[in-house]
């Protein structure tokens, strides 16, 4: 709560989601979507209190190494293998306002492209010092940062020779449950971005480029870690709720 | 030409992929020692007011197979119908109830499970009361944009009959897909992604 205490909570409805900008549920190039895509039209629902409210996560839930994937699973004195990077940016809403107190959770493969998961079948080895998850909470202006290693690309069962570009999965909580979002961050210059069926579920090039983090040499720590800047945009909201509140209620 | 509105576009969604449990419920995914406990595992404590219920269910794909790699989040009001959120302007919610829960679907049969309380009624936009309900958000491999739906309580017949959101559903034959039947000490809410029993999903 403390991070939000200086600002009056906003209670307006969120802007209508642009479903033509997001990937459609049914995207047959990504085979798993075929049996998991709802086939009937979504019922549109202007936000009620159930959508404009949402949980708050305090900085007190965070451990010292939650935003450091190089060390949060490593044995004392050791660190994860791979190119060291810093990922930083802002969480904004569609009005360009920073989103304070947003919980970001992220997960990724290790430098060889292998996930630490029971069902993972790729032959690349596990790194005993890399778990693959982390989290942080944005500051008053919506800024965040964390440290990790550059994840490797990996093959996956879709067509016989599909490879995921290097990516980090992000889960984001804004201020209302209707802002809930999961997405993926890609890395500038990776040629696999434009060959990936999952990236290709997004209809427009501009929307894809919005998920590609930029290499930032100015924010790079010399002799330590390169920096990538990745801003995330959540839905904006109208300024007040109940603009059209009916009489007599 | 006119002045630009200067709005940004929402970041495009991408699937949570097959390893969402690593990121959101790492202890469940056997990545122990990074976080003390998985977030959203516990919604109540021994002081929480209201009727204790267990909500369970499975998520079925178009072949009738239960998803074992999904992640479900719920958001609900407390027993008085208040949300534990800064945007709740009507009063203070029960401090011993988070209102938010997260559950993986398990690796055995794909069941999700929440230990929670039955929510009170919350007003709709025009002040009419909605029936007690729990908001669901579902992500998984193969789901490109998280799916939003609501669970209502099948035994709240009178409240459900006057619920303004349920009233929006043109094809009345689909309404029962949102009504969870009583099941022992709780409610059972099975979700169908496709087919004759396809659950009503909302664009919120
Ligand atoms: Fe991945």
């Amino acid at each position: 709560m403390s991070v939000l205490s200086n600002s009056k909570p906003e209670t307006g409805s969120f802007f209508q989601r642009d479903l033509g900008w997001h990937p459609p549920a049914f995207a047959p190039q990504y085979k798993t979507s075929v049996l998991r895509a709802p086939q009937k039209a979504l019922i549109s629902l202007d936000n009620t209190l159930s959508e404009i409210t949402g949980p708050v996560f305090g900085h007190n839930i965070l451990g010292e190494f939650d935003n450091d994937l190089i060390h949060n699973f490593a044995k004392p004195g050791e660190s994860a293998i791979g190119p060291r990077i810093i990922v930083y940016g802002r969480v904004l809403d569609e009005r360009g306002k920073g989103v304070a107190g947003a919980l970001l959770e992220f997960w990724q493969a290790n430098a060889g492209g292998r996930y630490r998961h029971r069902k993972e079948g790729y032959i690349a080895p596990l790194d005993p010092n890399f778990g693959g998850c982390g989290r942080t909470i944005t500051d008053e202006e919506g800024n965040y940062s964390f440290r990790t290693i550059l994840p490797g690309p990996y093959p996956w069962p879709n067509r016989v020779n599909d490879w995921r570009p290097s990516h980090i999965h992000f889960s984001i909580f804004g201020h209302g449950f209707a802002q809930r979002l999961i997405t993926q961050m890609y890395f500038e210059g990776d040629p696999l971005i434009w060959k990936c069926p999952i990236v290709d579920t997004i209809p427009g090039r501009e929307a894809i480029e919005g998920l590609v983090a930029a290499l930032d040499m100015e924010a790079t720590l010399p002799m330590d870690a390169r920096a990538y800047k990745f801003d995330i945009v959540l839905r904006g909201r109208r300024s007040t709720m109940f603009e059209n509140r009916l009489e007599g209620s | 030409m006119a002045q630009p509105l200067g709005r940004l576009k929402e970041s495009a969604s991408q699937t949570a992929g097959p390893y969402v449990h690593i990121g959101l419920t790492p202890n469940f995914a056997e990545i122990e020692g990074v976080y003390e406990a998985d977030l959203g595992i516990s919604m109540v404590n021994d002081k929480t007011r209201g009727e204790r219920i267990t909500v369970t269910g499975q998520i079925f794909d178009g072949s009738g197979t239960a998803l074992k790699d999904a992640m479900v989040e719920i958001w609900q009001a407390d027993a008085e119908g208040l949300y534990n959120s800064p945007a709740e302007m009507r009063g203070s919610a029960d401090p011993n109830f988070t209102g938010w829960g997260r559950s993986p679907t398990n690796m055995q049969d794909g069941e999700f499970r929440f230990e929670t309380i039955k929510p009170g009624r919350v007003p709709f936009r025009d002040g009419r009361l909605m029936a007690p309900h729990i908001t669901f958000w579902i992500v998984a491999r193969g789901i490109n944009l998280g799916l939003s739906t609501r669970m209502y309580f099948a035994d709240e017949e009178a409240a459900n009959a006057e619920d303004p959101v349920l009233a929006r559903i043109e094809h009345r034959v689909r309404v029962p897909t949102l009504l969870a039947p009583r099941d022992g000490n709780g409610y059972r809410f099975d979700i169908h992604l496709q087919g004759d029993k396809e659950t009503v999903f909302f664009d919120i």
Side-chain angles (χ1 to χ4, degrees), chain B residues 53-125:
Chain B
I53 58 170
T54 302
V55 174
T56 59
Q58 290 163 290
I59 304 167
F60 298 100
D61 72 13
S63 77
T65 305
L67 275 58
K68 297 176 181 174
D69 50 13
M71 207 278 303
V72 182
E73 287 182 1
I74 63 171
W75 174 239
Q76 65 166 94
D78 71 5
E80 309 297 324
L82 293 168
Y83 282 102
N84 191 345
S85 169
E88 173 58 86
M89 310 304 277
R90 298 169 299 145
S92 293
D94 182 350
N96 294 301
F97 182 61
T98 67
W100 175 74
R102 174 184 274 172
S103 174
T105 55
N106 72 38
M107 293 214 184
Q108 290 75 48
D109 57 7
E111 189 172 270
F112 60 80
R113 182 180 194 87
F114 297 97
E115 304 294 338
T116 183
I117 51 118
K118 186 162 178 197
R121 297 180 72 172
V122 175
F124 187 61
R125 298 172 59 79

Side-chain angles (χ1 to χ4, degrees), chain A residues 13 45-51 241-249, chain B residues 90 121-131 150 162-165 167-168:
Chain A
S13 297
L45 177 59
D46 204 350
N47 292 170
T48 71
L49 278 165
S50 305
E51 289 77 36
M241 202 194 174
F242 300 149
E243 312 74 4
N244 297 316
R245 187 165 180 153
L246 299 176
E247 294 300 316
S249 59
Chain B
R90 298 169 299 145
R121 297 180 72 172
V122 175
F124 187 61
R125 298 172 59 79
D126 59 10
R128 283 180 292 163
L129 289 178
M130 296 189 280
R150 283 184 175 193
E162 61 185 24
D163 182 84
V165 172
R168 286 277 179 90

Side-chain angles (χ1 to χ4, degrees), chain A residues 107-109 115 154 164-165 167-169 184 198, chain B residues 15-19:
Chain A
W107 65 101
Q108 64 171 82
Y115 282 94
Y154 57 84
R164 295 301 327 278
H167 62 278
I168 300 176
H169 297 265
Q184 301 182 27
I198 288 178
Chain B
T15 179
Y19 305 123

Side-chain angles (χ1 to χ4, degrees), chain A residues 45-121:
Chain A
L45 177 59
D46 204 350
N47 292 170
T48 71
L49 278 165
S50 305
E51 289 77 36
I52 63 142
T53 54
V56 171
F57 301 94
H59 290 259
N60 61 318
I61 68 166
L62 299 178
E64 189 185 350
F65 295 105
D66 283 8
N67 66 346
D68 183 356
L69 283 72
I70 293 178
H71 294 108
N72 70 9
F73 193 76
K75 293 185 224 17
E78 300 186 12
S79 58
I81 293 171
R84 296 159 65 89
I85 60 171
I86 292 163
V87 177
Y88 81 96
R90 280 184 86 195
V91 179
L92 304 158
D93 75 11
E94 289 170 304
R95 298 168 299 177
K97 294 177 75 162
V99 181
L103 173 68
L104 304 181
E105 296 163 284
F106 17 86
W107 65 101
Q108 64 171 82
N110 70 21
R114 170 78 183 260
Y115 282 94
R116 183 173 287 281
H117 193 277
R118 188 195 278 251
K119 293 235 174 108
E120 158 74 289

Side-chain angles (χ1 to χ4, degrees), chain A residues 183-248:
Chain A
T183 187
Q184 301 182 27
M185 177 194 118
Y186 303 100
F187 291 84
E188 179 180 2
D190 187 342
L192 290 171
I193 293 170
W194 307 104
K195 301 178 194 299
C196 174
I198 288 178
V199 173
D200 185 59
T201 61
I202 301 173
R205 186 170 180 108
E206 192 189 344
I208 293 170
E209 287 171 346
L211 301 182
V212 181
L215 175 66
D216 182 352
M217 289 305 289
E218 275 67 49
T220 285
L221 295 177
M223 307 303 288
D224 183 343
R226 282 174 293 159
Y228 283 88
K229 174 175 172 287
F230 185 58
D231 287 344
I232 297 163
V233 181
L234 301 180
R235 292 167 71 179
R237 72 195 310 172
R238 298 204 286 267
S239 51
T240 53
M241 202 194 174
F242 300 149
E243 312 74 4
N244 297 316
R245 187 165 180 153
L246 299 176
E247 294 300 316

